[in-house]
Amino acid sequence: MQTLKRYKWTWLLLLLALGLAIYLAVISLGGRNDKLPVIGEVQDFSLENVDGRQITLADTEGKPRLVYFFFTECPDVCPITTFMLSQTQDLLIKDGSFGKDVEFVSISFDPKNDTREAIKTFADRFHADYSGWYFLRGDQEQVRNLAADSFKVLIYGDNKDNFAHANLIGLVDRHNRLRGLYDAGETENVTPEFLAGELKKLIGEK
């Protein structure tokens, strides 16, 4: 009971975040056969890649992208979702579009533990193809603001032992507009094939 009282605001915020995530995911999934809606604009950022380069939003501009927020010591959803993204990557490699026409961006929100080396070790577990997949890190507050303001992804906690976050994958078009938000836990609907298909809808858009 004391634990519930102590963290009551955290639980309330998590419930609100879950409701928002479900609402946005339903909107995105509901329009899968039509032109995807514009949900919002992605704010600029400057974050460190695993090779030490600073990557900005402009560096990824011009191609549809999937964007995911994670931390390497996540015990559950982050590795599962990253594995699903790696399966999506493999589908896109087969048709020649990965890196050439589409890209992925995975952003860590745990800079204390997620060094470049730790992130690369994590990414290598999922045979990430770095020619089309950025793994970024940066100031925790900057990443939190980017996640919340641009992707409706709320992140709670301040270390690997108490992090909680919405497990959403964002779909961004070539003009840096958010076009879809998908709940990675909805595995009946959100599959590698589905994600690849959503990206391909945006390839031909001007």
Side-chain angles (χ1 to χ4, degrees):
M1 182 62 70
Q2 290 299 320
T3 300
L4 287 174
K5 289 182 178 178
R6 183 179 178 185
Y7 294 105
K8 65 178 182 179
W9 292 113
T10 299
W11 287 112
L12 285 172
L13 288 169
L14 284 173
L15 286 172
L16 287 172
L18 178 60
L20 176 62
I22 292 172
Y23 170 73
L24 290 168
V26 167
I27 289 176
S28 297
L29 289 171
R32 68 174 63 183
N33 294 317
D34 304 315
K35 185 173 181 178
L36 296 169
V38 175
I39 299 173
E41 300 285 336
V42 177
Q43 69 184 47
D44 196 12
F45 60 78
S46 180
L47 298 167
E48 185 182 36
N49 198 17
V50 290
D51 58 9
R53 291 184 299 138
Q54 286 296 123
I55 302 297
T56 66
L57 180 63
D59 291 321
T60 72
E61 193 172 5
K63 299 174 184 176
R65 289 143 283 171
L66 292 179
V67 180
Y68 181 63
F69 292 86
F70 77 104
F71 66 110
T72 64
E73 297 193 43
C74 175
D76 39 50
V77 296
C78 298
I80 293 171
T81 303
T82 303
F83 175 64
M84 180 168 64
L85 289 172
S86 75
Q87 291 178 302
T88 308
Q89 168 196 262
D90 292 346
L91 292 174
L92 296 166
I93 287 174
K94 285 181 180 179
D95 68 21
S97 60
F98 189 76
K100 175 178 174 286
D101 299 311
V102 301
E103 292 180 333
F104 295 175
V105 181
S106 290
I107 303 174
S108 165
F109 51 82
D110 185 13
K112 180 178 179 181
N113 295 292
D114 288 352
T115 61
R116 296 203 314 265
E117 295 75 19
I119 293 174
K120 190 172 187 307
T121 297
F122 177 85
D124 286 346
R125 284 168 51 194
F126 303 98
H127 60 274
D129 182 343
Y130 298 106
S131 69
W133 197 339
Y134 295 97
F135 280 83
L136 306 179
R137 64 185 297 276
D139 176 76
Q140 189 176 76
E141 194 63 26
Q142 178 193 3
V143 172
R144 283 178 186 268
N145 291 337
L146 174 66
D149 296 342
S150 296
F151 295 93
K152 320 302 186 240
V153 173
L154 303 180
I155 300 168
Y156 303 102
D158 55 13
N159 64 72
K160 64 185 180 64
D161 296 318
N162 64 14
F163 280 133
H165 64 104
N167 194 40
L168 299 177
I169 299 170
L171 175 66
V172 179
D173 67 19
R174 66 178 71 253
H175 302 297
N176 302 325
R177 300 175 300 183
L178 183 64
R179 302 293 295 277
L181 276 174
Y182 311 113
D183 183 348
E186 294 290 329
T187 54
E188 288 188 7
N189 295 312
V190 182
T191 64
E193 292 78 11
F194 169 74
L195 292 172
E198 296 294 272
L199 279 166
K200 290 177 184 178
K201 288 181 182 179
L202 299 181
I203 289 176
E205 282 193 358
K206 301 298 183 183

